[in-house]
Amino acid sequence: MTDTQLRVAVLGAKGRIGSEAAKAVEAAEDMDLVAALDRDDDIAELTKAGAQVAVDLTHPDAVMGNLEFCVGNGIHAVVGTTGWTDERFAQLRGWLDKSPQTGVLVAPNFSIGAVLTMLWSKQAARYFESAEVIERHHPNKADAPSGTATRTAQLIAEGRNAAGLGAQPDATSTALDGARGAVVDGVPVHAVRLRGALAHQEVFFGGTGETLTIRHDSLHHSSFMQGILLGARRVVSTPGLTYGLEHFLDLG
Ligand SMILES: NC(=O)C1=CN([C@@H]2O[C@H](COP(=O)(O)OP(=O)(O)OC[C@H]3O[C@@H](n4cnc5c(N)ncnc54)[C@H](OP(=O)(O)O)[C@@H]3O)[C@@H](O)[C@H]2O)C=CC1
Ligand SMILES: O=C(O)C1=N[C@H](C(=O)O)C[C@H](O)C1
């Protein structure tokens, strides 16, 4: 270990993504993996290990407790864990207000293709009357819809609202519960759970005489690793809350 190495910890280090993130941190020349913690470990290990950044890839039930500890101890955080609500963001901002030098990145998705899907969906939204999101994940996923699909729908709604678009056309008057998906800010979101799937999303737009589909597929866990490492490098010099990896990408 040298003084210039970034001291990174991974929370959820036995999980599907956390285990890969721990390997990616270990392999990064400018980082040291100083702690790899999972459910039964004591989070106080982070301070003992001198962690500068904690990468949280745990569970929606665990992430807030982890963040309260990290921010309270001046440890920056890179968060991939889902389950974010307005109330949770308000709580996190409250903790950050008391620790103004600390940075937290909350990234609904660390893969570049998914980030672009979200940004392009917001851009496209203003031009189309109809927009729906279908996400597809492995059946071991705890939450539905995915954090990425939820954020995509929110961004589509922002694009629609800025363009003055009203409610989407939909004459459905009889439907089985759930047939039209969950509605996020006026945008239907459908979640498929499928053995063999990893993380996939299609965003459908419909206008007069045309449709547009933006599709992204994460085919391997490695799709998330570059974004996690970039987040860790950048969050240490970005105090406060950053929502979305796009803020750390040079997108022109
Ligand atoms: N933003 C992004 O790009 C990505 C985000 N994710 C998100 O990351 C999260 C994890 O996903 P995934 O790896 O598939 O899930 P897993 O269930 O495979 O991994 C989560 C791990 O965290 C552990 N854990 C639970 N509570 C705690 C705790 N308090 N402290 C430390 N570890 C804990 C779990 O233990 P146990 O099994 O005993 O519960 C498990 O080992 C999900 O919210 C997922 O949506 C995933 C991929 C990419
Ligand atoms: O649980 C997963 O696997 C994933 N979770 C994130 C989400 O809910 O959007 C990111 C990606 O879709 C993989």
Side-chain angles (χ1 to χ4, degrees):
M1 191 189 295
T2 71
D3 283 348
T4 56
Q5 298 286 96
L6 190 59
R7 297 188 302 279
V8 181
V10 174
L11 305 177
K14 291 183 182 162
R16 273 177 293 275
I17 306 299
S19 55
E20 297 295 326
K23 284 188 234 165
V25 169
E26 268 187 318
E29 289 187 352
D30 58 337
M31 295 183 190
D32 285 316
L33 180 69
V34 296
L37 308 183
D38 208 81
R39 180 188 281 282
D40 296 325
D41 297 315
D42 183 359
I43 195 163
E45 292 298 324
L46 293 185
T47 44
K48 288 183 200 156
Q52 293 170 285
V53 184
V55 176
D56 192 298
L57 293 158
T58 59
H59 189 279
D61 293 343
V63 63
M64 294 309 284
N66 292 341
L67 283 176
E68 185 174 16
F69 179 89
C70 288
V71 176
N73 286 279
I75 299 169
H76 309 283
V78 171
V79 183
T81 307
T82 45
W84 286 93
T85 59
D86 289 347
E87 292 71 26
R88 284 182 171 215
F89 277 119
Q91 200 170 21
L92 174 57
R93 284 196 179 93
W95 296 330
L96 284 165
D97 285 346
K98 292 182 197 143
S99 183
Q101 301 309 315
T102 307
V104 175
L105 166 68
V106 175
N109 203 303
F110 289 111
S111 82
I112 180 70
V115 172
L116 292 175
T117 299
M118 287 184 265
L119 297 184
W120 291 341
S121 293
K122 182 177 178 179
Q123 276 186 305
R126 60 170 41 239
Y127 300 108
F128 293 92
E129 262 188 283
S130 302
E132 305 214 7
V133 179
I134 301 183
E135 56 96 330
R136 188 161 35 98
H137 281 81
H138 58 88
N140 304 101
K141 184 167 174 57
D143 56 311
S146 70
T148 306
T150 302
R151 185 63 184 145
T152 304
Q154 290 167 345
L155 290 168
I156 289 170
E158 282 179 23
R160 291 177 66 87
N161 292 341
L165 295 185
Q168 300 202 33
D170 183 356
T172 308
S173 57
T174 309
L176 278 181
D177 272 358
R180 294 290 293 115
V183 179
V184 178
D185 293 354
V187 179
V189 179
H190 311 265
V192 177
R193 295 292 171 263
L194 199 68
R195 183 69 66 205
L198 182 64
H200 316 262
Q201 176 163 286
E202 284 169 282
V203 188
F204 294 99
F205 294 98
T208 306
E210 63 175 331
T211 64
L212 168 70
T213 306
I214 304 175
R215 171 176 167 156
H216 175 254
D217 298 277
S218 268
L219 303 172
H220 191 265
H221 297 135
S222 52
S223 64
F224 305 115
M225 296 306 138
Q226 268 202 329
I228 291 172
L229 298 182
L230 173 70
R233 289 183 186 112
R234 291 289 303 273
V235 77
V236 291
S237 55
T238 314
L241 172 63
T242 301
Y243 186 24
L245 187 69
E246 60 273 22
H247 300 289
F248 289 172
L249 295 169
D250 182 16
L251 292 171

mmCIF file of all heavy atoms in Angstrom, residues 112 116 119-120 123 245-252:
data_model
loop_
_atom_site.group_PDB
_atom_site.id
_atom_site.type_symbol
_atom_site.label_atom_id
_atom_site.label_comp_id
_atom_site.label_asym_id
_atom_site.label_seq_id
_atom_site.Cartn_x
_atom_site.Cartn_y
_atom_site.Cartn_z
ATOM 1 N N ILE A 112 -22.326 2.224 -18.722
ATOM 2 C CA ILE A 112 -22.405 3.397 -19.597
ATOM 3 C C ILE A 112 -23.638 3.326 -20.496
ATOM 4 O O ILE A 112 -24.330 4.329 -20.715
ATOM 5 C CB ILE A 112 -21.094 3.547 -20.439
ATOM 6 C CG1 ILE A 112 -21.167 4.771 -21.359
ATOM 7 C CG2 ILE A 112 -20.785 2.312 -21.253
ATOM 8 C CD1 ILE A 112 -21.118 6.081 -20.662
ATOM 9 N N LEU A 116 -26.610 6.138 -20.721
ATOM 10 C CA LEU A 116 -27.019 6.792 -21.973
ATOM 11 C C LEU A 116 -28.500 6.541 -22.265
ATOM 12 O O LEU A 116 -29.208 7.433 -22.747
ATOM 13 C CB LEU A 116 -26.153 6.296 -23.138
ATOM 14 C CG LEU A 116 -24.685 6.746 -23.071
ATOM 15 C CD1 LEU A 116 -23.876 6.106 -24.190
ATOM 16 C CD2 LEU A 116 -24.563 8.270 -23.140
ATOM 17 N N LEU A 119 -30.416 9.071 -20.254
ATOM 18 C CA LEU A 119 -30.303 10.446 -20.762
ATOM 19 C C LEU A 119 -31.052 10.606 -22.081
ATOM 20 O O LEU A 119 -31.757 11.589 -22.305
ATOM 21 C CB LEU A 119 -28.832 10.822 -20.939
ATOM 22 C CG LEU A 119 -27.982 10.835 -19.672
ATOM 23 C CD1 LEU A 119 -26.571 11.318 -19.974
ATOM 24 C CD2 LEU A 119 -28.606 11.723 -18.592
ATOM 25 N N TRP A 120 -30.883 9.632 -22.990
ATOM 26 C CA TRP A 120 -31.561 9.719 -24.300
ATOM 27 C C TRP A 120 -33.076 9.590 -24.148
ATOM 28 O O TRP A 120 -33.828 10.179 -24.925
ATOM 29 C CB TRP A 120 -31.008 8.630 -25.239
ATOM 30 C CG TRP A 120 -29.590 8.890 -25.652
ATOM 31 C CD1 TRP A 120 -28.918 10.078 -25.603
ATOM 32 C CD2 TRP A 120 -28.657 7.935 -26.161
ATOM 33 N NE1 TRP A 120 -27.620 9.909 -26.052
ATOM 34 C CE2 TRP A 120 -27.439 8.617 -26.400
ATOM 35 C CE3 TRP A 120 -28.720 6.567 -26.439
ATOM 36 C CZ2 TRP A 120 -26.309 7.979 -26.914
ATOM 37 C CZ3 TRP A 120 -27.602 5.931 -26.947
ATOM 38 C CH2 TRP A 120 -26.403 6.636 -27.181
ATOM 39 N N GLN A 123 -34.339 12.943 -23.372
ATOM 40 C CA GLN A 123 -34.319 13.782 -24.577
ATOM 41 C C GLN A 123 -35.482 13.447 -25.504
ATOM 42 O O GLN A 123 -36.121 14.333 -26.072
ATOM 43 C CB GLN A 123 -33.019 13.551 -25.350
ATOM 44 C CG GLN A 123 -31.848 14.357 -24.860
ATOM 45 C CD GLN A 123 -30.652 14.154 -25.784
ATOM 46 O OE1 GLN A 123 -30.241 13.020 -26.023
ATOM 47 N NE2 GLN A 123 -30.116 15.230 -26.301
ATOM 48 N N LEU A 245 -24.499 8.611 -12.385
ATOM 49 C CA LEU A 245 -23.098 8.554 -12.830
ATOM 50 C C LEU A 245 -22.816 9.546 -13.958
ATOM 51 O O LEU A 245 -21.661 9.927 -14.177
ATOM 52 C CB LEU A 245 -22.777 7.120 -13.301
ATOM 53 C CG LEU A 245 -21.333 6.842 -13.647
ATOM 54 C CD1 LEU A 245 -20.454 6.868 -12.402
ATOM 55 C CD2 LEU A 245 -21.190 5.495 -14.364
ATOM 56 N N GLU A 246 -23.855 9.988 -14.670
ATOM 57 C CA GLU A 246 -23.647 10.913 -15.799
ATOM 58 C C GLU A 246 -22.891 12.167 -15.367
ATOM 59 O O GLU A 246 -22.176 12.775 -16.165
ATOM 60 C CB GLU A 246 -24.982 11.288 -16.469
ATOM 61 C CG GLU A 246 -26.027 11.971 -15.604
ATOM 62 C CD GLU A 246 -26.925 10.986 -14.854
ATOM 63 O OE1 GLU A 246 -26.513 9.830 -14.658
ATOM 64 O OE2 GLU A 246 -28.031 11.398 -14.459
ATOM 65 N N HIS A 247 -23.033 12.540 -14.089
ATOM 66 C CA HIS A 247 -22.365 13.756 -13.611
ATOM 67 C C HIS A 247 -20.853 13.572 -13.527
ATOM 68 O O HIS A 247 -20.112 14.554 -13.404
ATOM 69 C CB HIS A 247 -22.933 14.168 -12.252
ATOM 70 C CG HIS A 247 -24.411 14.449 -12.333
ATOM 71 N ND1 HIS A 247 -24.919 15.557 -12.967
ATOM 72 C CD2 HIS A 247 -25.480 13.731 -11.907
ATOM 73 C CE1 HIS A 247 -26.250 15.523 -12.913
ATOM 74 N NE2 HIS A 247 -26.599 14.426 -12.274
ATOM 75 N N PHE A 248 -20.380 12.332 -13.563
ATOM 76 C CA PHE A 248 -18.945 12.051 -13.517
ATOM 77 C C PHE A 248 -18.413 11.644 -14.893
ATOM 78 O O PHE A 248 -17.254 11.246 -15.016
ATOM 79 C CB PHE A 248 -18.641 10.934 -12.516
ATOM 80 C CG PHE A 248 -18.802 11.327 -11.058
ATOM 81 C CD1 PHE A 248 -18.711 10.371 -10.061
ATOM 82 C CD2 PHE A 248 -19.013 12.648 -10.677
ATOM 83 C CE1 PHE A 248 -18.847 10.712 -8.716
ATOM 84 C CE2 PHE A 248 -19.158 13.008 -9.337
ATOM 85 C CZ PHE A 248 -19.069 12.033 -8.351
ATOM 86 N N LEU A 249 -19.259 11.702 -15.914
ATOM 87 C CA LEU A 249 -18.832 11.301 -17.257
ATOM 88 C C LEU A 249 -18.698 12.551 -18.118
ATOM 89 O O LEU A 249 -19.510 13.473 -18.000
ATOM 90 C CB LEU A 249 -19.868 10.363 -17.887
ATOM 91 C CG LEU A 249 -20.049 9.008 -17.205
ATOM 92 C CD1 LEU A 249 -21.286 8.296 -17.748
ATOM 93 C CD2 LEU A 249 -18.821 8.142 -17.412
ATOM 94 N N ASP A 250 -17.716 12.556 -18.974
ATOM 95 C CA ASP A 250 -17.524 13.687 -19.868
ATOM 96 C C ASP A 250 -18.387 13.452 -21.105
ATOM 97 O O ASP A 250 -17.920 12.915 -22.106
ATOM 98 C CB ASP A 250 -16.038 13.798 -20.235
ATOM 99 C CG ASP A 250 -15.775 14.988 -21.122
ATOM 100 O OD1 ASP A 250 -16.661 15.873 -21.193
ATOM 101 O OD2 ASP A 250 -14.705 15.021 -21.755
ATOM 102 N N LEU A 251 -19.643 13.873 -21.022
ATOM 103 C CA LEU A 251 -20.584 13.564 -22.100
ATOM 104 C C LEU A 251 -20.726 14.711 -23.106
ATOM 105 O O LEU A 251 -21.592 14.681 -23.966
ATOM 106 C CB LEU A 251 -21.949 13.201 -21.512
ATOM 107 C CG LEU A 251 -21.968 11.882 -20.736
ATOM 108 C CD1 LEU A 251 -23.287 11.702 -19.996
ATOM 109 C CD2 LEU A 251 -21.718 10.700 -21.656
ATOM 110 N N GLY A 252 -19.879 15.719 -22.977
ATOM 111 C CA GLY A 252 -19.855 16.790 -23.965
ATOM 112 C C GLY A 252 -20.961 17.824 -23.791
ATOM 113 O O GLY A 252 -21.818 17.737 -22.990
#
